[in-house]
């Protein structure tokens, strides 16, 4: 393998941004905010040179492209509204850094609302 081809491979991998796919699920009433969809497959662009995507970027992408109504029931500032559980691959996102958590390609993110009327 030549030095030039090795450099090109490194350069193209390091400076290329690949879209990452995530499975996103909604329950506890949140699906109503997303056109009654309980599950989505979402692609989010990573930053150049990164192999993960911050969950905040996924939240922004969902809010901008999929959220159909009442955004105040899903997000508050740059995070989810209190009362919404977030699981990343069945693990509470608080154990993974909360709003600073990093997602890898193929992760499953579940949003569960614990807010109910009565």
């Amino acid at each position: 393998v030549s030095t030039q081809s090795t450099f090109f491979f490194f350069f193209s991998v390091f400076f290329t941004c690949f879209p990452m796919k995530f499975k996103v699920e909604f329950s506890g009433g949140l699906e109503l905010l997303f056109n009654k969809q309980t599950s989505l497959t979402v692609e989010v662009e990573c930053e150049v040179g990164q192999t993960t995507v911050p969950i905040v970027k996924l939240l922004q992408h969902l809010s901008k492209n999929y959220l159909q109504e009442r955004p105040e029931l899903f997000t508050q500032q740059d995070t989810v509204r209190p009362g919404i559980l977030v699981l990343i691959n069945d693990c509470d996102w608080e154990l993974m850094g909360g709003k600073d958590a990093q997602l890898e390609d193929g992760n499953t993110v579940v949003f569960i609302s614990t807010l109910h009327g009565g």
Side-chain angles (χ1 to χ4, degrees), residues 5 9-10 28 38 41-42 47 53 60 64-65 71 117:
S5 63
F9 175 76
F10 173 77
T38 58
T41 299
V42 177
E47 298 296 322
V53 170
Q60 293 167 347
K64 180 179 177 184
N65 298 296

Side-chain angles (χ1 to χ4, degrees), residues 12 39 64 83 90 109 114:
S12 64
S39 182
K64 180 179 177 184
D90 296 323
V109 182
T114 62

Side-chain angles (χ1 to χ4, degrees), residues 17-116:
C17 182
F18 298 99
M20 294 191 184
K21 283 188 181 181
F22 307 108
K23 181 177 182 185
V24 180
E25 298 177 358
F26 306 101
S27 63
L30 285 176
E31 64 277 8
L32 300 174
L33 305 178
F34 291 88
N35 201 27
K36 299 180 182 174
Q37 295 181 83
T38 58
S39 182
L40 297 168
T41 299
V42 177
E43 284 191 6
V44 179
E45 293 287 330
C46 67
E47 298 296 322
V48 173
Q50 299 296 312
T51 58
T52 61
V53 170
I55 195 162
V56 170
K57 191 166 181 179
L58 175 64
L59 291 173
Q60 293 167 347
H61 183 79
L62 290 170
S63 295
K64 180 179 177 184
N65 298 296
Y66 295 97
L67 187 60
Q68 297 293 309
E69 56 184 84
R70 311 233 12 222
E72 70 277 6
L73 295 180
F74 182 60
T75 56
Q76 190 173 33
Q77 296 166 351
D78 64 345
T79 189
V80 293
R81 177 187 170 100
I84 296 178
L85 300 175
V86 182
L87 304 175
I88 302 170
N89 297 330
D90 296 323
C91 181
D92 188 335
W93 79 325
E94 294 295 337
L95 299 173
M96 301 180 73
K99 71 177 190 173
D100 296 322
Q102 297 291 313
L103 302 174
E104 297 177 354
D105 190 41
N107 283 167
T108 298
V109 182
V110 180
F111 297 94
I112 306 168
S113 176
T114 62
L115 305 172
H116 302 284

